[in-house]
Amino acid sequence: MKRLRLHRDVTLADLAEETGISTSTLSRLEAGLRRPTLEQLLPLARAYGVTLDELVDAPPTGDPRINLRPIPCGDGSVILPLTRRPGGIQAYKFVLPTGTDDAEPDMRTHEGYDWVYVLNGTLRLVLGEHDLILKPGEAAEFDTRTPHWFGSTGAGPVEYLSLIGKQGERAHVRAAPRQGPAE
């Protein structure tokens, strides 16, 4: 932190005024005599114009824009969370291994709203009384209070994206207007 402050040519008093953190606390933080709290790190990151990761010298991650830490499941499927922030719509990529066409669905319900988009393979979506087959490029949306189940078929593995939002929260989809014939 001291290196950042000196690089900006700012005194402890100036930094204290800008962040609302006392000069003695800033001095102890720079000397390593005190551990910073999140309430202190946020104004310091803003004052220095750096991310929290840069301020605390966090180890680098694969892609800084998303955190692709796969979550393997016992059935051979993998879930990749694509969003980091809590609240709002959460994005996931699912990869399911080859299934069987006669798999018995284990229907689930929960609060929320789901949008599904198939990337590769064939996705079987059982939604209430409907047993649907979705191919690459096809999408579905539904209230998750409706009993539902996702599975792959005997045709091979399937990859799909899922956006899950809170109850009543819906995605706003906009399409470009159709272009008429050239005049």
Side-chain angles (χ1 to χ4, degrees):
M1 284 193 276
K2 185 173 185 175
R3 181 181 46 81
L4 286 169
R5 182 177 58 79
L6 294 175
H7 184 263
R8 284 189 62 219
D9 197 26
V10 174
T11 66
L12 280 174
D14 292 338
L15 186 60
E17 186 176 319
E18 187 176 350
T19 62
I21 302 169
S22 72
T23 54
S24 63
T25 298
L26 289 170
S27 177
R28 286 192 299 258
L29 289 172
E30 285 184 359
L33 301 174
R34 183 169 178 185
R35 293 186 111 168
T37 65
L38 185 58
E39 290 78 19
Q40 294 165 333
L41 289 171
L42 291 171
L44 286 168
R46 271 194 297 272
Y48 292 135
V50 297
T51 66
L52 285 174
D53 284 350
E54 291 173 289
L55 188 61
V56 298
D57 198 24
T61 57
D63 182 343
R65 294 169 291 174
I66 55 177
N67 188 3
L68 290 177
R69 289 205 177 127
I71 302 167
C73 301
D75 61 358
S77 61
V78 177
I79 303 170
L80 291 105
L82 300 175
T83 49
R84 289 188 198 186
R85 67 181 180 87
I89 295 175
Q90 300 296 308
Y92 300 91
K93 178 179 177 184
F94 288 84
V95 181
L96 307 181
T98 302
T100 59
D101 294 332
D102 59 353
E104 186 64 33
D106 180 17
M107 307 286 273
R108 304 289 171 119
T109 62
H110 53 89
E111 291 293 313
Y113 205 83
D114 199 345
W115 301 266
V116 177
Y117 179 82
V118 179
L119 298 167
N120 293 303
T122 303
L123 178 67
R124 181 176 172 208
L125 167 61
V126 179
L127 182 61
E129 299 298 317
H130 304 282
D131 196 336
L132 308 167
I133 297 294
L134 301 174
K135 303 250 183 226
E138 291 187 309
E141 64 176 319
F142 59 93
D143 185 320
T144 57
R145 291 178 295 186
T146 304
H148 59 281
W149 175 83
F150 300 100
S152 57
T153 66
V158 63
E159 296 179 39
Y160 66 97
L161 298 177
S162 178
L163 301 176
I164 302 172
K166 295 183 225 163
Q167 195 62 46
E169 186 175 27
R170 302 204 45 172
H172 300 283
V173 179
R174 297 178 192 206
R178 289 183 183 244
Q179 299 295 321
E183 297 180 23

